[in-house]
Amino acid sequence: MQSTDSPVAIVTGASSGIGKSVARKLIEKGYRVHAAARRTDAMADLATLGARVHHLDLTKPESIDAFAAEVLAEGDRVDVLVNNAGYGFYGAVEEIPMAEARAQMDVNVFGLAHITQLVLPSMRRRRSGRILNVTSIGGKIWSPLGAWYHASKFAVEGFSDCLRNEVRPFGIDVVLIEPAGTATEWPGVALDNARKVSGSGPYAPILDGTSALFTSEQGQQSADDCASAIVRAATVAKPRARYATSPAAHVILFLRWLLPDVAFDGLINRICKIPKRIAI
Ligand SMILES: NC(=O)c1ccc[n+]([C@@H]2O[C@H](COP(=O)([O-])OP(=O)(O)OC[C@H]3O[C@@H](n4cnc5c(N)ncnc54)[C@H](OP(=O)(O)O)[C@@H]3O)[C@@H](O)[C@H]2O)c1
């Protein structure tokens, strides 16, 4: 049951998948939740549960400013910020239009950083707050045709490591969340984007082999299980710096740590059946 004393949480990307489940679980725990995404209709269920629903387009700085102003106008308090919104624009570097590459970085990196910047003064004044940045095992490993997605998630890893130490003296925690494959809209969006730009042409044989990565359910975690890990990280007394959210995530990160680049490259190339040579 929420009251004016209830802790306040922001969840971006709450219109589907992991973010929607995190928002629901935080409401159940008594948080006043600000749920944000472009598809406000898709958050009607959260509004029914008591969430405050906001339109947010992370490619537009003015949308981010307006969103933060709406949240802070309701009280100068944010206890938990879950920077979850994100997507994959997969495809070959040669073929992805730079506008799409910039949009990928805008949503996954600059949008996350912009909201964080707007919420920090309130957390700092209250000497309390927790920021959870949803990256991916893709912030530590590569996958075929994922250059811009991985660039964005590697960036969030470095950004968060710096930020964690910058704001610790003010009583603010920064936590990285590293899921592996999770059953949401994400794989379909990433594969559609890859097909759009690299479904034919010189890189198509790489996409042919890689498609299975997006459609396979092997080792996949449910959005609810991933959300439970995030909510635990949001509410535990002393959070760790980063959480891998599934057994598959732990195994893959262990292999990345163990194997030299040449062996890890070979492993991924074999799994994705990437041809050794492609005709021009
Ligand atoms: N699913 C996986 O396998 C997986 C694995 C590792 C990491 N992750 C990460 O987990 C996070 C959540 O993804 P998910 O799996 O839950 O995928 P999802 O179901 O596709 O949800 C993505 C969310 O991001 C929002 N979003 C996308 N573009 C946006 C924009 N321009 N402005 C505002 N919001 C935007 C979407 O809302 P609207 O479209 O309504 O705006 C949606 O709510 C992402 O950061 C993703 O990279 C996912």
Side-chain angles (χ1 to χ4, degrees), residues 24-267:
R24 200 182 315 114
K25 287 174 190 291
L26 287 174
I27 294 168
E28 284 163 9
K29 282 200 169 289
Y31 280 76
R32 275 187 288 148
V33 171
H34 293 274
R38 290 168 302 179
R39 290 170 293 171
T40 47
D41 294 358
M43 296 184 284
D45 53 341
L46 296 176
T48 306
L49 294 174
R52 179 91 157 71
V53 163
H54 304 259
H55 181 268
L56 171 67
D57 185 343
L58 286 166
T59 62
K60 298 192 164 63
E62 60 279 13
S63 171
I64 300 170
D65 286 335
F67 167 60
E70 280 166 29
V71 171
L72 294 170
E74 290 192 11
D76 187 25
R77 174 175 184 175
V78 177
D79 296 271
V80 172
L81 165 61
V82 185
N83 279 316
N84 161 77
Y87 70 103
F89 204 107
Y90 272 65
V93 169
E94 193 182 326
E95 295 174 323
I96 292 183
M98 285 312 295
E100 293 293 0
R102 289 201 173 87
Q104 173 78 107
M105 299 303 276
D106 276 341
V107 173
N108 291 12
V109 184
F110 291 109
L112 169 152
H114 190 165
I115 292 185
T116 300
Q117 190 179 54
L118 294 173
V119 166
L120 271 175
S122 157
M123 288 187 170
R124 187 171 44 73
R125 277 194 292 273
R126 296 183 60 248
R127 299 196 77 82
S128 163
R130 194 165 294 178
I131 298 167
L132 296 106
N133 290 335
V134 181
T135 56
S136 167
I137 55 164
K140 296 236 182 77
I141 67 158
W142 68 275
S143 62
L145 303 179
W148 283 111
Y149 181 67
H150 291 288
S152 75
K153 295 299 189 183
F154 272 63
V156 174
E157 291 269 339
F159 176 87
S160 305
D161 281 335
C162 288
L163 183 66
R164 183 176 64 254
N165 290 285
E166 202 171 291
V167 299
R168 183 186 289 122
F170 301 105
I172 301 165
D173 301 314
V174 177
V175 180
L176 278 156
I177 305 292
E178 299 171 332
T182 310
T184 68
E185 294 177 10
W186 188 95
V189 170
L191 184 55
D192 281 354
N193 287 332
R195 283 189 176 132
K196 228 168 18 198
V197 296
S198 300
S200 58
Y203 298 91
I206 300 183
L207 181 56
D208 286 346
T210 306
S211 301
L213 269 194
F214 298 102
T215 51
S216 165
E217 291 176 11
Q218 207 185 355
Q220 221 181 34
Q221 178 176 43
S222 71
D224 280 346
D225 284 350
C226 184
S228 295
I230 294 174
V231 171
R232 264 197 307 281
T235 52
V236 72
K238 284 192 193 311
R240 296 204 305 263
R242 42 184 34 85
Y243 291 86
T245 63
S246 68
H250 282 283
V251 169
I252 297 165
L253 290 176
F254 174 70
L255 285 174
R256 175 60 286 208
W257 171 81
L258 185 71
L259 297 176
D261 288 339
V262 66
F264 193 81
D265 284 4
L267 178 69

